[in-house]
Amino acid sequence: MLGTNGVTVRFGKRVLYEDVNVKFTPGNCYGVIGANGAGKSTFLKVLTGDLEPSEGEVYKTKDERLGILKQDHYMYDEVKVIDTVIRGNERLYEIMQEKDALYAKPDFSDEDGIRAGELEAEFAELNGWMADTDAAQLLTGLGIDTEYHECLMKELSGPEKVKVLLAQALFGNPDVLILDEPTNNLDMAAISWLEEFLINFENTVIVVSHDRYFLNKVCTHILDIDYGKINIFVGNYDFWYESSQLALKQMKDANKKKEEKIKELEDFIRRFSANASKSKQATSRKKTLEKIELDEIKPSTRRYPFIDFKPERESGREILSVEDVSLNVDGEQLLKNVSFKILKGDKIALVGANGIAKTALFNIIMGKVKPDTGTITFGQTIKPSYVPQDNEEYFKVDKNITEWLRDDYGITDETVVRSFLGRMLFSGDEALKKIGVLSGGEKARCMFARAMLEAPNLLFLDEPTNHLDLESITALNEGLIRTNAELVFVSHDHQFVQTVANRIIEITEDGIVDKRCTYDEYLEQNSDLMKKEKSL
């Protein structure tokens, strides 16, 4: 049993939340949500003991073990992959190390034998004989092939390290799982596997995530950080959203009725307070007026940008033709005979196991990479815009945000630039922040401001939800549903793909699979992809 008693967290004069009383019970999954900077990760650090609260306490059952997703991807670089996973149960790992050291001694004594017996008993109690097998199953489930299990962590890529650290957190059936953004850098197959794991997990899960589909799939409760409080809702993300919006509407409606009543009473008092025959009624209404209190509606920390891609001109009949495109990089065939045409109204999601291949296709289309074979042909009326997954090359300048956007397009009217930045929540002094100090989410919003300013009729977006908070993802999602521009995008956000795409193109080793349907329909139709997603 894990919980908080009167927890308050403040940094200087800024109070993140106060008097938090939450009890986490086994069998439930708690999704922690809130705007960027609201204190989601901070709350997890308080729960794990990495940060002392300003007031109050965190309590847990004695000997309760926490499984925590580590954020330092270089922490275990000199450790084997399989051992990194087993270290999720640090006590078991310590026993294994001590056992190996004892049995390797050339002068094994009676005392060593007694100690070895004690260790063997504890080892068996912690299910140590299954440690390697259990660790391997977790790694394989998350898509780390067995050939990498004995490698050092430093030999893996960044996304592969994330999967290993996630397997470490899940290892050994911890009493409480604490996961901060576990779906970041995971492919859809790994996310699907994780969803099933957490649904079947019998202990407590506390998770921070910006993936709405994931929160809807696994959560039984939502912890909402807002208004300087942490409120708990029973249900998944959609239930929280609907109920919180309903509660806010009801409060506003109630206040509106009270305001109307106040105006009515004030009018009566003003008209008849000097009238002798009506003075008693006026006095009575004055007392009634004094008793009416409006509900306090505090400003939310949530801020929604306005993302709206309005094409400067409609696209013509010819939009984009990709013909027989192939690309081989360092002996690996990334693309093979890829051919398709974009038609009017298309909103295409590119899917497939190889993320590098999808990014390579975008770079070929935008003329950044030359294919080995094939041609790319744009229609004469087409004005494309590209928001890449890696945007660092756009921010290697010593400018503030306004200068960055203004100078890029030679705009003399700064109010135009300010209006686009304002939509992206950069108003006032925020629009004068230096490019070099921006967070990942702020850079992403800058890129959307840039794309909106270009007024394209054909959009290419590579993992556009990366680094965004739930509010920005929701705004982008709605903006792409609304736009008349044709669209090709890559995303690991299931709900995002499902609600935006009307055509799915899977990049395979032998070419493409092209279906005009939603993502869920595609998964139902394509049993091979479904099996692959569930088995990996």
Side-chain angles (χ1 to χ4, degrees), residues 432-443:
L432 301 177
K433 287 176 73 171
K434 284 287 189 179
I435 287 292
V437 302
L438 298 182
S439 67
E442 288 172 326
K443 287 179 180 177

Side-chain angles (χ1 to χ4, degrees), residues 128 152 162 177 207 246 267 391 430 517:
L152 294 179
V162 171
L177 261 176
V207 58
L246 178 61
D267 285 346
N391 56 34
E430 286 286 308
C517 60

Side-chain angles (χ1 to χ4, degrees), residues 107-157:
D107 53 344
F108 192 82
S109 66
D110 290 342
E111 289 80 5
D112 291 333
I114 293 170
R115 179 57 181 159
E118 293 170 348
L119 291 173
E120 291 290 2
E122 192 176 354
F123 180 75
E125 189 178 317
L126 293 173
N127 202 29
W129 296 111
M130 292 296 295
D132 284 343
T133 301
D134 291 344
Q137 286 178 346
L138 289 170
L139 288 167
T140 304
L142 286 166
I144 303 295
D145 293 337
T146 53
E147 62 187 280
Y148 296 107
H149 294 188
E150 295 297 322
C151 293
L152 294 179
M153 283 286 283
K154 66 182 180 183
E155 298 175 48
L156 302 187
S157 67

Side-chain angles (χ1 to χ4, degrees), residues 188 340 342 345-352 358 361-362 459 461 463-464 486-507 512-520 522 529:
M188 284 187 169
F340 62 89
I342 297 178
D346 274 350
K347 294 182 178 180
I348 301 170
L350 295 182
V351 301
K358 289 173 282 188
L361 180 58
F362 278 137
L459 267 168
L461 307 175
E463 295 289 358
E486 278 68 50
L487 169 67
V488 185
F489 70 99
V490 173
S491 177
H492 287 145
D493 186 316
H494 187 122
Q495 186 168 338
F496 188 84
V497 178
Q498 169 60 18
T499 54
V500 173
N502 57 21
R503 181 178 172 189
I504 308 296
I505 295 180
E506 184 192 359
I507 307 294
I512 65 169
V513 177
D514 190 348
K515 298 282 186 179
R516 190 167 294 281
C517 60
T518 67
Y519 183 60
D520 283 347
Y522 182 74
L529 183 59

Side-chain angles (χ1 to χ4, degrees), residues 11-132:
F11 296 102
K13 293 183 179 179
R14 186 187 174 208
V15 178
L16 286 183
Y17 24 78
E18 55 188 352
D19 196 25
V20 177
N21 299 287
V22 181
K23 182 169 69 174
F24 301 100
T25 55
N28 290 321
C29 178
Y30 300 83
V32 183
I33 63 172
N36 277 353
K40 301 183 293 293
S41 296
T42 299
F43 185 60
L44 296 194
K45 289 177 181 176
V46 169
L47 294 177
T48 60
D50 290 337
L51 179 69
E52 282 291 321
S54 306
E55 295 175 20
E57 63 174 354
V58 175
Y59 61 86
K60 70 183 181 75
T61 306
K62 187 181 178 182
D63 298 328
E64 193 166 51
R65 191 169 71 81
L66 307 183
I68 303 166
L69 176 58
K70 303 285 197 310
Q71 299 299 317
D72 184 353
H73 298 173
Y74 304 98
M75 187 175 180
Y76 301 99
D77 268 3
E78 299 302 324
V79 180
K80 288 197 300 184
V81 167
I82 195 81
D83 289 343
T84 300
V85 176
I86 294 172
R87 288 186 71 159
N89 188 335
E90 199 61 50
R91 179 55 191 153
L92 175 60
Y93 186 74
E94 288 170 0
I95 291 169
M96 293 171 70
Q97 295 296 100
E98 190 175 349
K99 273 177 56 185
D100 290 345
L102 276 175
Y103 291 137
K105 290 177 69 173
D107 53 344
F108 192 82
S109 66
D110 290 342
E111 289 80 5
D112 291 333
I114 293 170
R115 179 57 181 159
E118 293 170 348
L119 291 173
E120 291 290 2
E122 192 176 354
F123 180 75
E125 189 178 317
L126 293 173
N127 202 29
W129 296 111
M130 292 296 295
D132 284 343

Side-chain angles (χ1 to χ4, degrees), residues 15 88 182 197 397 446:
V15 178
F197 182 94
V397 291
C446 282

Side-chain angles (χ1 to χ4, degrees), residues 308-354:
D308 193 33
F309 298 102
K310 286 187 176 179
E312 191 174 273
R313 62 181 294 184
E314 258 193 68
S315 52
R317 291 182 62 187
E318 300 293 326
I319 297 175
L320 176 69
S321 176
V322 177
E323 295 184 14
D324 294 323
V325 166
S326 296
L327 181 68
N328 190 296
V329 177
D330 297 330
E332 181 184 359
Q333 185 85 49
L334 292 181
L335 301 167
K336 182 178 179 182
N337 301 328
V338 173
S339 298
F340 62 89
K341 288 187 177 182
I342 297 178
L343 306 178
K344 191 79 173 170
D346 274 350
K347 294 182 178 180
I348 301 170
L350 295 182
V351 301
N354 194 333

